[in-house]
Amino acid sequence: KAGVTQTPRYLIKTRGQQVTLSCSPISGHRSVSWYQQTPGQGLQFLFEYFSETQRNKGNFPGRFSGRQFSNSRSEMNVSTLELGDSALYLCASSLIVDADIQYFGAGTRLSVL
Amino acid sequence: GESVGLHLPTLSVQEGDNSIINCAYSNSASDYFIWYKQESGKGPQFIIDIRSNMDKRQGQRVTVLLNKTVKHLSLQIAATQPGDSAVYFCAEKGGAGGTSYGKLTFGQGTILTVHP
């Protein structure tokens, strides 16, 4: 069974641009969570989606948004990029919402110049 | 405010030694705990988990100990191998009724280096 797939693996953007990251969960998994990982703040929860609905949200500004499609695939969008948005963005999937074990993808490394 | 880089704790061991990685958690209402391993260039990988109604759980070469009195979690790795070199994260999940219900909160991580 394929794992969580995130695309692209690497991205370089400039300040003010917007970016969309994609995540395909493990087949059969219906919940997708997103995390931001930086050297300064560690791993921080962004949001969780289940059945195309956002079920949980972390403490990030409204520039960070996401959505989930009917096939459980998810995208997250960051608008008006700032230098501080440079990070590894990780997607994790689980069978159901609030499931215990989340399985992570390899992440998308975003660099904002 | 100014962002300060995390200074991750580090643990260096010789191949074959046992390793103990510690984690202090903050939320006394957390009812589930999990350890992840993250290798360079990869996402976190599940190692072992434990519920708050247990104080010990064993897996293959790994044991997790939970002390709810002092809100402390530890991961023991037996016969540590070079392939165990990675960053290890503990994470806690809030129990029902709390503001952090269902959310996974990660610790800062510990860098484990295993020398051959």
Side-chain angles (χ1 to χ4, degrees), chain A residues 24-42:
Chain A
S24 293
I26 293 172
S27 178
H29 284 196
R30 298 175 59 194
S31 176
V32 173
S33 297
W34 288 89
Y35 295 84
Q36 182 195 65
Q37 186 174 29
T38 61
Q41 300 297 325

Side-chain angles (χ1 to χ4, degrees), chain A:
Chain A
K1 185 183 276 192
V4 177
T5 304
Q6 291 188 246
T7 56
R9 288 296 311 276
Y10 303 94
L11 264 179
I12 299 175
K13 293 286 187 179
T14 56
R15 278 180 299 174
Q17 287 187 311
Q18 74 165 16
V19 67
T20 300
L21 312 181
S22 180
C23 172
S24 293
I26 293 172
S27 178
H29 284 196
R30 298 175 59 194
S31 176
V32 173
S33 297
W34 288 89
Y35 295 84
Q36 182 195 65
Q37 186 174 29
T38 61
Q41 300 297 325
L43 262 162
Q44 292 188 293
F45 171 77
L46 279 157
F47 26 64
E48 180 179 21
Y49 285 87
F50 178 79
S51 291
E52 302 175 63
T53 302
Q54 187 180 94
R55 300 297 296 267
N56 248 327
K57 190 176 190 304
N59 296 322
F60 279 82
R63 300 185 297 108
F64 292 81
S65 63
R67 61 176 175 169
Q68 187 181 34
F69 302 95
S70 58
N71 61 358
S72 295
R73 191 177 70 84
S74 177
E75 289 180 347
M76 69 162 280
N77 184 276
V78 188
S79 62
T80 318
L81 284 166
E82 301 176 359
L83 296 179
D85 297 333
S86 294
L88 180 67
Y89 289 89
L90 292 160
C91 167
S93 77
S94 54
L95 274 171
I96 57 174
V97 69
D98 296 339
D100 292 332
I101 301 175
Q102 297 180 9
Y103 298 88
F104 284 82
T108 294
R109 172 74 62 186
L110 172 64
S111 297
V112 182
L113 306 179

Side-chain angles (χ1 to χ4, degrees), chain B residues 8-65:
Chain B
L8 298 187
T10 60
L11 176 65
S12 291
V13 300
Q14 290 296 126
E15 182 178 1
D17 287 352
N18 296 332
S19 302
I20 299 177
I21 300 171
N22 296 303
C23 176
Y25 64 92
S26 57
N27 186 357
S28 57
S30 292
D31 63 357
Y32 176 74
F33 305 88
I34 190 166
W35 281 98
Y36 282 94
K37 169 188 178 184
Q38 186 174 24
E39 297 173 278
S40 181
K42 298 183 179 180
Q45 176 187 358
F46 168 81
I47 302 173
I48 192 168
D49 58 356
I50 189 168
R51 297 202 173 278
S52 59
N53 60 355
M54 303 170 68
D55 53 22
K56 180 179 180 178
R57 190 163 189 222
Q58 288 184 288
Q60 186 177 14
R61 284 201 307 120
V62 294
T63 301
V64 56
L65 299 178

Side-chain angles (χ1 to χ4, degrees), chain B residues 68-112:
Chain B
K68 293 181 288 293
T69 303
V70 295
K71 292 191 285 187
H72 183 268
L73 195 66
S74 69
L75 176 70
Q76 300 178 359
I77 305 174
T80 317
Q81 303 166 2
D84 294 327
S85 294
V87 179
Y88 288 79
F89 294 95
C90 66
E92 58 182 300
K93 182 178 250 190
T99 56
S100 60
Y101 173 62
K103 295 181 183 178
L104 210 54
T105 302
F106 283 81
Q108 64 179 24
T110 296
I111 300 172
L112 174 66

